[in-house]
Amino acid sequence: MAKSEECCSTQLLDGDGTFNVTGIDQFIKEAKLAECGLSYAVVSIMGPQSSGKSTLLNHLFATNFREMDAFRGRSQTTKGIWVAKCAGIEPCTLVMDLEGTDGRERGEDDTAFEKQSALFALAVSDIVLINMWCHDIGREQAANKPLLKTVFQVMMRLFSPRKTTLMFVIRDKTRTPLENLEPVLREDIQKIWDSVPKPEAHKETPLSEFFNVEVVALSSYEEKEEQFKEQVASLRQRFYHSIAPGGLAGDRRGVVPASGFSFSAQQIWKVIKENKDLDLPAHKVMVATVRCEEIANEKYAAFAGNEEWSELDEAVQSGPISGFGKKLNSILDTCLSEYDAEAIYFDEGVRTGKRQQLEEKLLQLVQPAFQALLGHIRSGTLDKFKEAFDKALKGGEGFSAAAHNCSQSFMAWFDEGCADAVITLANWDTSKVRDKLKRDIEAHIASVRAAKLSELTALYESKLKDALSAPVEALLDGANSETWPSIRKLFRRETESAVSGLSSALSGFDMDEEAKGQILANLEAYARGVVEAKTKEEAGRVLIRMKDRFATLFSHDSDSMPRVWTGKEDIRAITKTARSASLKLLSVMAAIRLDDEGADNIENTLSLALVDSTNAAVKDRSITIADPLASSTWQEISASKTLITPVQCKSLWRQFKAETEYSVSQAISAQEANKRNNNWLPPPWAIVALIVLGFNEFMTLLRNPFYLCVIFVGFLLVKALWVQLDVAGEFRNGALPGLLSLSTKVVPTIMNMMKRLAEEGAKPAANDPPRNPAPASTGYGKEGNSSSEISSSGSSGVTESEYSSSSKHD
């Protein structure tokens, strides 16, 4: 694997154990470690000298640690501890290369640095690679067993337990399968762990509580280089996302933020360096401080991992628990008693101070559970209150009585639950939770009261709307002098009924008179609003209503039958009556008069201004009268009650007259046409003139009967033409259209009449006795055909002439 320039390798500790503060700070800046937060991992490697540790790291993590030159002999290559950043692995991973153990350079007796560096690696690393030869497995003095034994013992005493992964890398694997080597190695590790003396708190603690053990095997780098590289590449994949759940260091604990890594490493090395023989500080207070803190931490951890407490904590998250305070007090007392027993021989001041800290930590640990329990008791009490309150209301109990009884009952029930949850060690105040419950109950009562009041109000408002809307609309539609008195009467009756009913319903809510009066006043205002809204709606359609009323009265008689303008009707009187009725409708719609304001003033003003003034102006145009409608308000009526101002009334009346004038003119035209159609006689003077001037001619006719015959025949012809041409019908549409139509029909009609006369004259010849039946029948058929042809031709001629006349007329 190619080396990367991003590895930033730096010596962390030199061979003398001096910490390279400047170098590590510069390394953290170059590696941008401070930006990683908790998302980083530390991997270290330990093992015998010249066992290929640096070579393995360089191939595994693409670092550039110095490797041993095999051609120059086997000697110490890495001195102290070196650190580098892995290239291409997420999250950010730091690798520490430790000086090899059993080196001849340090000698047989100088093993302190080896132990210190191994302990340092275990303290700061998440994953520790232990490089070992395959042939050392199963040997008592090989595979770093003595070193591991010492490290295990001191690790538990000096540091808080952290879950470190120990990965044993078996080098130069032989033919023996890994499945056979791994059990032997794990058994040796377990034996070392079992043989290490442990404090009381960890006597039964398994190895898995402190370490995760992994075993891998690699082929010989010198003999099987390609196979070695393939195995290393496969092993590298396991270091991707190593701190994620399920990764190599997925369950690590006590992680130091990346920005504090340098300081943490310095302090750890300082403690290790000051205790060269791996002994605890000798000073009494320091010993008491460290030991009491350890004991307190152990007891805290024991309490946190206590099965009974865990079950209690888990159970309280889902609901209230009976006897919670008693059970938790027992567990807390046991924990503190064990602390007192183990710390009794240490400095009293330190012991007492650490005990108080332990109490605070324990109370901080259990406080969320206690608060959760109080929350469950409060929510449970509130739910039960709501249920009981709702049931009481449905059972017919008065609202105020139900609210008072249920509140008292369930507040007492809450107090009993709090007494059962009290922790003796803590003096926690539950009054805030109690006050919150009380506020919640009061808020629920208020919300139910508001909902009930809203429901009642909506019910009576709905009744009022149904009782007022349609009747008011009907009364306004049939507007007359009694419209507003009828509306006022209806309004008072329905409003008093609704207010009385609502007032009775509110008696069970224990409300003060002011609030009750406000609700009743709102109901009255709503009723008034319904009437006003309906009136405004109808006022918006007043012109349509006026025209409809005018059309109804003008076009129908007193029996509601359509009028036929025969000439006997007094159109002026009918028009005046219809317009007066429409004016009445306008006066009714002009303003809202629920309070008996201006009952007759508007109608009188409109009548005076729009009807009487017109008549007066017609009679005497020289008289100038002030216009009473030249105003934007009505006398004695407020602007808020005005729907149609005087000026608007004048404009509407002018528009109304313009739009109804056509109907009047049409009626007059129809009446005149009817008169003309019913009067065919000439004027009397014409009749007298005819008698006087035609007396001689008349006497001549009487003396000569031939003239009478001629006149009689002419009369018949004229009568026939009159009937055939339908002269009366043609003149219904007027004189000029009638003359034009008759002029086109006269000639075809005369020709048809002559043709028919000729055919009638030819009938005797055709009626001679036939020689045989067949011709007779044939002649009969011909006669019938000729007659039909004549009729058809005559009809077609008449029809054609009518069509042409109509076309010309159009």
Side-chain angles (χ1 to χ4, degrees):
M1 184 179 295
K3 308 297 185 291
S4 172
E5 295 181 358
E6 298 179 359
C7 59
C8 311
S9 60
T10 303
Q11 189 175 34
L12 185 64
L13 294 171
D14 61 15
D16 298 328
T18 303
F19 199 93
N20 184 9
V21 178
T22 305
I24 189 64
D25 290 342
Q26 184 63 28
F27 167 79
I28 289 175
K29 289 181 181 180
E30 293 178 1
K32 298 180 179 179
L33 184 63
E35 301 175 2
C36 297
L38 296 177
S39 182
Y40 76 101
V42 180
V43 180
S44 60
I45 188 168
M46 64 175 67
Q49 180 175 298
S50 303
S51 61
K53 299 187 299 299
S54 300
T55 301
L56 174 60
L57 293 181
N58 290 341
H59 283 83
L60 185 60
F61 299 111
T63 53
N64 59 356
F65 293 121
R66 181 183 173 191
E67 300 179 9
M68 182 192 74
D69 189 351
F71 295 101
R72 295 185 179 180
R74 306 184 74 81
S75 60
Q76 187 179 53
T77 303
T78 303
K79 294 184 179 180
I81 300 177
W82 286 73
V83 64
K85 179 185 177 183
C86 298
I89 292 182
E90 290 294 334
C92 177
T93 303
L94 305 182
V95 179
M96 293 195 305
D97 189 9
L98 274 66
E99 180 181 313
T101 60
D102 299 334
R104 63 183 179 81
E105 285 79 6
R106 288 197 179 272
E108 221 175 90
D109 298 328
D110 190 11
T111 61
F113 183 78
E114 295 175 2
K115 295 177 182 179
Q116 290 171 350
S117 61
L119 184 57
F120 178 77
L122 285 172
V124 300
S125 301
D126 301 307
I127 304 170
V128 178
L129 305 179
I130 300 179
N131 206 39
M132 60 183 299
W133 300 110
C134 181
H135 54 72
D136 283 343
I137 297 176
R139 298 171 56 190
E140 184 63 30
Q141 297 301 320
N144 300 319
K145 285 185 180 179
L147 177 62
L148 280 176
K149 187 173 183 178
T150 304
V151 167
F152 282 169
Q153 182 176 4
V154 178
M155 181 71 179
M156 289 186 297
R157 292 171 47 204
L158 195 58
F159 298 100
S160 300
R162 59 179 284 137
K163 201 70 172 286
T164 305
T165 299
L166 299 180
M167 179 176 283
F168 290 86
V169 183
I170 302 174
R171 303 294 295 275
D172 296 353
K173 177 181 172 297
T174 59
R175 295 181 179 179
T176 306
L178 179 62
E179 292 78 6
N180 296 339
L181 294 174
E182 184 174 351
V184 177
L185 182 58
R186 286 184 177 275
E187 184 180 354
D188 291 344
I189 296 171
Q190 188 63 44
K191 286 181 180 178
I192 296 173
W193 176 259
D194 293 339
S195 64
V196 170
K198 304 179 188 65
E200 281 298 321
H202 296 295
K203 281 191 177 295
E204 303 299 328
T205 303
L207 174 67
S208 59
E209 183 69 21
F210 289 87
F211 302 103
N212 291 322
V213 178
E214 299 283 343
V215 180
V216 296
L218 301 175
S219 300
S220 172
Y221 175 66
E222 295 179 353
E223 297 176 2
K224 302 177 182 179
E225 183 176 353
E226 292 302 322
Q227 188 176 357
F228 172 83
K229 290 181 178 180
E230 291 177 2
Q231 293 170 346
V232 168
S234 176
L235 179 60
R236 176 183 172 87
Q237 299 300 318
R238 300 185 64 184
F239 286 90
Y240 282 93
H241 306 294
S242 57
I243 63 175
L248 287 175
D251 53 352
R252 63 179 183 168
R253 297 192 294 262
V255 184
V256 177
S259 58
F261 175 78
S262 174
F263 178 76
S264 176
Q266 293 176 46
Q267 295 303 312
I268 290 175
W269 180 247
K270 180 180 178 181
V271 173
I272 294 174
K273 190 70 175 174
E274 290 176 355
N275 295 275
K276 189 173 182 178
D277 296 330
L278 302 178
D279 292 330
L280 295 174
H283 195 271
K284 180 180 179 181
V285 175
M286 186 177 293
V287 170
T289 302
V290 174
R291 185 55 187 153
C292 287
E293 187 167 356
E294 287 181 353
I295 295 172
N297 291 338
E298 290 173 6
K299 298 311 169 187
Y300 178 80
F303 179 84
N306 184 279
E307 185 176 354
E308 188 177 358
W309 156 245
S310 299
E311 293 176 355
L312 202 62
D313 186 32
E314 183 178 354
V316 82
Q317 302 304 321
S318 57
I321 300 174
S322 178
F324 175 85
K326 184 177 180 181
K327 295 175 183 177
L328 188 56
N329 284 326
S330 175
I331 302 173
L332 288 171
D333 291 342
T334 301
C335 178
L336 294 173
S337 298
E338 291 176 356
Y339 170 85
D340 292 337
E342 293 187 27
I344 190 172
Y345 297 108
F346 292 100
D347 182 79
E348 183 178 358
V350 175
R351 183 176 75 240
T352 304
K354 294 298 178 183
R355 190 183 195 278
Q356 292 176 352
Q357 293 179 8
L358 176 60
E359 289 178 1
E360 292 176 0
K361 289 176 65 177
L362 291 174
L363 292 177
Q364 288 178 0
L365 180 64
V366 303
Q367 189 173 20
F370 177 76
Q371 293 297 334
L373 178 62
L374 289 183
H376 288 311
I377 296 174
R378 183 192 63 80
S379 60
T381 303
L382 183 60
D383 292 340
K384 290 183 181 296
F385 166 79
K386 291 179 180 179
E387 182 180 350
F389 185 48
D390 187 50
K391 186 176 180 181
L393 292 178
K394 289 181 179 179
E397 189 174 352
F399 185 89
S400 299
H404 180 267
N405 295 337
C406 291
S407 298
Q408 294 294 328
S409 174
F410 284 96
M411 287 303 296
W413 191 77
F414 173 79
D415 293 338
E416 292 176 4
C418 290
D420 184 62
V422 168
I423 298 174
T424 309
L425 192 64
N427 189 24
W428 289 329
D429 186 14
T430 61
S431 61
K432 290 184 178 180
V433 182
R434 190 181 192 279
D435 292 341
K436 185 175 184 345
L437 172 63
K438 190 173 182 180
R439 289 195 302 270
D440 291 343
I441 289 176
E442 291 174 352
H444 179 70
I445 293 173
S447 66
V448 173
R449 177 188 285 109
K452 292 290 185 183
L453 292 176
S454 177
E455 183 180 340
L456 279 173
T457 305
L459 175 63
Y460 281 94
E461 285 179 353
S462 177
K463 289 182 178 180
L464 269 176
K465 187 174 183 179
D466 294 341
L468 292 174
S469 292
V472 168
E473 182 176 356
L475 288 171
L476 291 174
D477 187 43
N480 54 48
S481 302
E482 296 300 317
T483 296
W484 278 110
S486 299
I487 291 175
R488 286 193 291 269
K489 184 177 180 181
L490 173 69
F491 169 73
R492 294 191 185 103
R493 183 180 68 248
E494 297 299 336
T495 303
E496 288 173 2
S497 175
V499 167
S500 176
L502 181 59
S503 178
S504 300
L506 294 178
S507 60
F509 286 86
D510 194 20
M511 299 175 63
D512 56 54
E513 290 300 323
E514 183 179 355
K516 184 177 179 180
Q518 183 63 41
I519 293 175
L520 297 178
N522 291 341
L523 184 63
E524 292 181 4
Y526 176 82
R528 183 178 292 271
V530 169
V531 175
E532 292 180 355
K534 181 55 67 175
T535 307
K536 289 177 182 178
E537 180 183 342
E538 293 300 313
R541 301 196 294 262
V542 65
L543 183 59
I544 299 173
R545 296 283 192 186
M546 289 170 65
K547 292 191 292 184
D548 290 344
R549 173 168 287 196
F550 176 84
T552 301
L553 296 177
F554 186 76
S555 303
H556 295 78
D557 58 19
S558 58
D559 297 327
S560 299
M561 297 297 292
R563 292 186 190 274
V564 178
W565 304 105
T566 62
K568 299 178 181 179
E569 296 82 4
D570 186 355
I571 295 179
R572 182 181 298 277
I574 294 172
T575 303
K576 184 176 181 180
T577 302
R579 285 179 176 174
S580 297
S582 299
L583 187 66
K584 171 69 73 174
L585 179 63
L586 179 62
S587 67
V588 169
M589 297 291 189
I592 299 170
R593 279 155 282 183
L594 280 177
D595 300 320
D596 200 12
E597 298 179 23
D600 300 319
N601 291 341
I602 295 178
E603 184 179 356
N604 295 337
T605 302
L606 290 175
S607 179
L608 178 64
L610 301 177
V611 179
D612 297 343
S613 64
T614 303
N615 298 333
V618 170
K619 292 178 181 178
D620 190 355
R621 299 181 181 273
S622 62
I623 300 175
T624 303
I625 303 175
D627 188 357
L629 296 182
S631 173
S632 60
T633 57
W634 296 104
Q635 188 177 0
E636 298 181 4
I637 293 181
S638 62
S640 62
K641 303 296 184 182
T642 301
L643 299 180
I644 307 173
T645 63
V647 175
Q648 291 172 338
C649 285
K650 187 174 182 180
S651 175
L652 285 171
W653 184 255
R654 187 182 299 114
Q655 185 177 354
F656 164 75
K657 286 185 67 176
E659 294 181 8
T660 57
E661 196 69 37
Y662 178 75
S663 299
V664 178
S665 62
Q666 285 287 70
I668 294 173
S669 299
Q671 195 177 56
E672 291 177 353
N674 198 320
K675 288 180 179 180
R676 286 195 303 270
N677 292 335
N678 294 331
N679 189 11
W680 289 96
L681 295 175
W685 63 267
I687 296 173
V688 173
L690 284 173
I691 293 172
V692 172
L693 297 175
F695 179 77
N696 294 331
E697 286 77 5
F698 180 69
M699 295 303 296
T700 302
L701 289 176
L702 291 177
R703 293 190 187 102
N704 193 346
F706 178 72
Y707 289 155
L708 288 175
C709 292
V710 172
I711 292 172
F712 180 72
V713 172
F715 172 76
L716 291 177
L717 290 174
V718 172
K719 182 65 176 179
L721 282 173
W722 185 277
V723 173
Q724 288 290 330
L725 294 175
D726 189 18
V727 176
E730 294 295 340
F731 278 96
R732 286 195 190 98
N733 298 323
L736 183 60
L739 291 173
L740 292 174
S741 178
L742 291 174
S743 65
T744 60
K745 292 181 181 182
V746 169
V747 175
T749 304
I750 293 172
M751 294 299 294
N752 285 335
M753 290 176 63
M754 293 177 65
K755 188 175 181 181
R756 294 180 75 181
L757 288 172
E759 290 174 354
E760 291 292 333
K763 277 184 181 181
N767 289 335
D768 288 340
R771 297 180 181 179
N772 51 55
S777 63
T778 305
Y780 181 78
K782 289 180 179 179
E783 181 185 351
N785 290 338
S786 63
S787 300
S788 65
E789 288 175 0
I790 293 171
S791 301
S792 299
S793 61
S795 300
S796 62
V798 174
T799 306
E800 184 179 354
S801 64
E802 288 177 355
Y803 176 76
S804 61
S805 173
S806 300
S807 301
K808 291 179 180 179
H809 174 65
D810 292 339

